[in-house]
Amino acid sequence: MLYLLRRVVVLLTTLLLVSFLVFMLPYLTPGDPARKILRARTGDLDLDPETVERLRIEYGLDLPIMQQYWNWLKDALGGDIGISYTSGRPVAGMLGSALANTATLAISALLFALVVALILGTIAAVKRGKPADSVITTITQGFVAIPEYWMGPLLVLVFALNMGVLPSAGWKGPLWMILPCLTLALRPMSYFTQVTRASMVDVLESPHITAARSRGLSFGETMLKHGVRNALLPVVTLFSVWLAGLLGGSVVVEVIFAIPGMGRMLYQAITNGDVPIIQASVVCVVGLTVIITTATDALYRLINPTVRTSHGTR
Amino acid sequence: MALVDNPASEALDGTARVIPMRGSAAVRGWEHLRTWPTSLRVGVALFLTIAVLLVLTPWIAPYDPAAQDLENRLAAGSPAHLLGTDHLGRDVLSRLLWGGRYSVSIAAVTLVLCSVFGTVLGLLCARIGGAFDELVMRLTDVALAFPEMVIAMFLVAILGPSYGTLILALVLTGWTPFARLARGLALEINSRDFVEAAEALGMSRRFIVFRHLLPNALSPLLAHAALRFGHKLIAVGALSYLGLGVQPPDSDWGSMLADGQPYMTRLAGLVVYPGLAIFITALAVTLIGQGINTRRNRQG
């Protein structure tokens, strides 16, 4: 309970810290902060100096900085984050669809990675020390060293440009998801496989497997009923860690395949200097990451009482 | 033969390997090398080759990496240009070598900063304990929650793209694993019998730190550093690929890949080679990291 409380304190501190940094963005970048903030609030591009003066007081930009932060935070929590410089639309509305696209991409890539990893990891564990194990272990460890910005263009070159069987970019349907998912799944897949193999090896050596086999259960039945289930826990934890990571980490893949997700939105906002979008997407991604990791941790402790120690493992 | 040693098979061939202490230094060195796991040997050989090539680049690169030859653009590999030329007619091999100097050195600087900063903080945590320990560990929780790419992009938005920004961003998100590992190792080693024995014998704190703590913590820390190096290399390349890292006129493997991508249907090498360079380098250090771990497990 104390542990959970601490995690929640960390979560809130992180969010406060990040939101303050993000709030300060117009002040930290070159240019007149008042103009940048007013542009984000009103969507007006060219304000004459008089209007700027009038609006400065109207929007409270003459208040002390902490007071301004408080007002900004209240607005943001109420869903009013400002108006995008480039599209002229409220940022809050743009966030939703971007987030949905990124989540779809990340979850489908991770599910694919998980299924492949469970199969490969189990085979490697069962055939431990045999050629099949060496091949799987070597290949998956090699995959860790493959950058997405290499695999992505190569897949596009082969399957879209040369063979013409899959679309090279865009986000219009399941067919458009195949290449980005493959690209994104590669690295998590190799980590998942390694973890599955390791925990499967442990499970296979445990007495209850021997007991199940000696009770006359077939090998396949034993694996399904006693093996996979026990080996799954560490992999599931890793799954959510990766999910949190990919919310912000799929930038490269989203840019390569022109997917309108969070990462690409943030990337474009940074190249265009679109302050309100940068603010919203950074807070959103960091917030979600912290919430997911904290929730996973809490859940893991709930399921597995052996890690419920206050010290030593943290 | 698998590149990666299988931890399972090691238990069979036993843990005790006696190194005969006779013959010349070279022979002893060779005997010692033979006890290295395959992954370590392959990784070290690969990495040394890459390092030597990159160090010798100013002398061995066949062309000036910025020299353009517009008559001869997007040429396939030939004796004159072994790996061909890019969209401005620049020699791909020379650019790969020069680009590698940026990629590898930035990743290395980042890694050294991360590991030194993280390790020192972690050791201090274990040594001082109490409120300081609590504060730093909570700080690692906060830093761990920051998605690396997002923080890097945010910093670029504030500070503008530069080498400093690139390194700062990666250090800011990368020191935490080292701090946790170092802290855990120090606590674990401190509780071992030989440290207790040394303390009982009245050995000085410094003796214990340098004789027991560091030697025992070194190999896991090194292994971890090697495993993180590949990650850093890929992250540096990712930022450069997005145009937020190494800025023109300089270019590294990531920016070469981005430059070549529009022309990949005409000359696939423009995308294949820079990616392959990152892959091989990252693989080499990963093998080293795994090799050190395997060796440590073997020795028990």
Side-chain angles (χ1 to χ4, degrees):
Chain A
M1 219 34 231
L2 186 70
Y3 177 84
L4 209 62
L5 202 70
R6 260 195 329 220
R7 286 305 300 242
V8 172
V9 170
V10 168
L11 191 148
L12 292 176
T13 328
T14 315
L15 283 180
L16 271 180
L17 195 82
V18 170
S19 65
F20 184 70
L21 272 176
V22 151
F23 156 77
M24 289 300 288
L25 185 68
Y27 292 91
L28 296 172
T29 46
D32 179 14
R35 273 180 183 278
K36 277 185 268 180
I37 295 168
L38 291 177
R39 192 174 166 195
R41 309 263 37 140
T42 62
D44 243 331
L45 190 61
D46 292 306
L47 296 166
D48 54 83
E50 266 169 60
T51 328
V52 170
E53 257 342 282
R54 191 171 49 79
L55 289 176
R56 194 197 287 274
I57 294 169
E58 192 177 312
Y59 281 102
L61 299 185
D62 50 345
L63 297 171
I65 202 88
M66 288 319 281
Q67 185 76 45
Q68 282 189 45
Y69 170 59
W70 178 239
N71 291 337
W72 178 85
L73 199 63
K74 269 195 302 195
D75 280 351
L77 288 177
D80 177 13
I81 320 167
I83 295 166
S84 160
Y85 287 6
T86 38
S87 72
R89 289 192 292 145
V91 172
M94 299 168 68
L95 271 183
S97 65
L99 197 60
N101 289 340
T102 298
T104 313
L105 173 68
I107 292 175
S108 24
L110 286 179
L111 280 180
F112 172 71
L114 186 67
V115 171
V116 177
L118 281 180
I119 298 170
L120 289 183
T122 310
I123 294 176
V126 172
K127 304 269 174 201
R128 191 155 61 117
K130 302 233 175 73
D133 179 25
S134 305
V135 169
I136 290 174
T137 315
T138 309
I139 289 180
T140 52
Q141 281 171 341
F143 278 177
V144 178
I146 297 182
E148 285 97 354
Y149 46 88
W150 187 42
M151 190 38 81
L154 287 183
L155 287 177
V156 168
L157 184 64
V158 173
F159 291 102
L161 301 177
N162 285 353
M163 294 167 64
V165 287
L166 288 169
S168 64
W171 193 246
K172 297 180 191 116
L175 213 54
W176 277 262
M177 287 174 61
I178 298 176
L179 291 184
C181 278
L182 269 180
T183 312
L184 203 56
L186 210 58
R187 275 208 280 172
M189 192 191 82
S190 36
Y191 285 113
F192 291 177
T193 308
Q194 288 168 25
V195 172
T196 308
R197 180 188 177 279
S199 71
M200 246 340 189
V201 164
D202 279 351
V203 169
L204 286 178
E205 276 173 358
S206 62
H208 74 268
I209 292 289
T210 322
R213 289 284 282 151
S214 50
R215 278 209 315 277
L217 262 72
S218 76
F219 186 73
E221 247 178 318
T222 315
M223 289 308 296
L224 277 181
K225 285 191 178 156
H226 301 275
V228 176
R229 223 204 298 173
N230 283 300
L232 212 55
L233 194 63
V235 187
V236 168
T237 318
L238 204 60
F239 185 89
S240 61
V241 171
W242 269 88
L243 182 63
L246 284 190
L247 287 180
S250 58
V251 185
V252 172
V253 170
E254 288 178 18
V255 170
I256 293 172
F257 293 98
I259 298 165
M262 288 297 285
R264 184 160 165 266
M265 188 165 93
L266 176 60
Y267 171 65
Q268 288 176 334
I270 280 168
T271 37
N272 297 327
D274 197 334
V275 173
I277 294 210
I278 302 177
Q279 291 179 316
S281 40
V282 169
V283 169
C284 196
V285 169
V286 174
L288 278 174
T289 315
V290 199
I291 291 170
I292 293 177
T293 35
T294 312
T296 313
D297 220 32
L299 210 66
Y300 189 58
R301 267 152 205 279
L302 211 67
I303 300 170
N304 187 356
T306 51
V307 286
R308 258 190 240 153
T309 48
S310 56
H311 287 283
T313 53
R314 50 173 165 183
Chain B
M1 181 71 204
L3 287 182
V4 178
D5 298 77
N6 191 336
S9 58
E10 270 126 41
L12 300 175
D13 60 51
T15 47
R17 279 178 185 240
V18 181
I19 303 166
M21 295 304 262
R22 57 190 154 78
S24 68
V27 171
R28 280 213 305 277
W30 178 243
E31 289 288 322
H32 183 72
L33 210 61
R34 278 179 48 188
T35 69
W36 283 15
T38 323
S39 54
L40 190 57
R41 274 184 279 175
V42 174
V44 167
L46 261 180
F47 190 72
L48 279 182
T49 315
I50 295 165
V52 167
L53 283 177
L54 294 182
V55 167
L56 295 181
T57 293
W59 296 279
I60 61 170
Y63 294 88
D64 176 350
Q68 301 183 3
D69 178 7
L70 293 173
E71 309 253 299
N72 195 17
R73 50 201 296 271
L74 298 173
S78 63
H81 298 278
L82 281 178
L83 300 181
T85 58
D86 72 355
H87 62 291
L88 295 174
R90 297 174 294 194
D91 181 54
V92 171
L93 178 61
S94 308
R95 290 181 65 71
L96 266 186
L97 288 168
W98 281 98
R101 286 163 75 96
Y102 286 107
S103 294
V104 174
S105 61
I106 295 172
V109 168
T110 314
L111 187 76
V112 168
L113 287 176
C114 280
S115 52
V116 169
F117 182 63
T119 305
V120 168
L121 264 184
L123 291 180
L124 283 178
C125 275
R127 182 93 182 82
I128 301 172
F132 177 81
D133 183 22
E134 187 66 28
L135 183 75
V136 175
M137 281 302 114
R138 294 291 76 79
L139 209 62
T140 60
D141 283 342
V142 173
L144 223 57
F146 284 173
E148 184 174 54
M149 288 300 283
V150 172
I151 296 308
M153 292 201 290
F154 185 62
L155 279 178
V156 170
I158 297 174
L159 304 170
S162 72
Y163 294 114
T165 313
L166 190 58
I167 291 170
L168 179 68
L170 294 177
V171 172
L172 222 53
T173 48
W175 61 276
T176 45
F178 288 98
R180 288 183 177 210
L181 182 64
R183 176 181 175 278
L185 283 170
L187 287 179
E188 200 248 338
I189 295 165
N190 260 339
S191 68
R192 295 255 199 94
D193 290 344
F194 55 78
V195 173
E196 214 169 289
E199 267 166 2
L201 285 169
M203 295 302 180
S204 72
R205 192 67 219 169
R206 196 199 294 175
F207 177 86
I208 294 175
V209 166
F210 283 100
R211 190 61 190 262
H212 293 306
L213 205 77
L214 274 181
N216 279 296
L218 201 61
S219 96
L221 280 171
L222 268 181
H224 187 70
L227 290 173
R228 296 302 293 179
F229 186 90
H231 178 88
K232 294 277 174 249
L233 193 73
I234 290 176
V236 170
L239 285 165
S240 293
Y241 176 82
L242 294 174
L244 304 173
V246 173
Q247 296 294 308
D250 300 341
S251 64
D252 71 343
W253 289 335
S255 50
M256 278 181 74
L257 223 159
D259 283 347
Q261 208 181 323
Y263 308 96
M264 66 182 175
T265 38
R266 288 184 56 188
L267 191 62
L270 292 182
V271 165
V272 173
Y273 297 131
L276 197 63
I278 299 179
F279 170 67
I280 293 177
T281 316
L283 188 69
V285 278
T286 308
L287 286 176
I288 294 178
Q290 277 156 358
I292 298 176
N293 273 338
T294 312
R295 199 169 128 76
R296 193 158 53 92
N297 292 341
R298 248 186 220 174
Q299 288 166 344

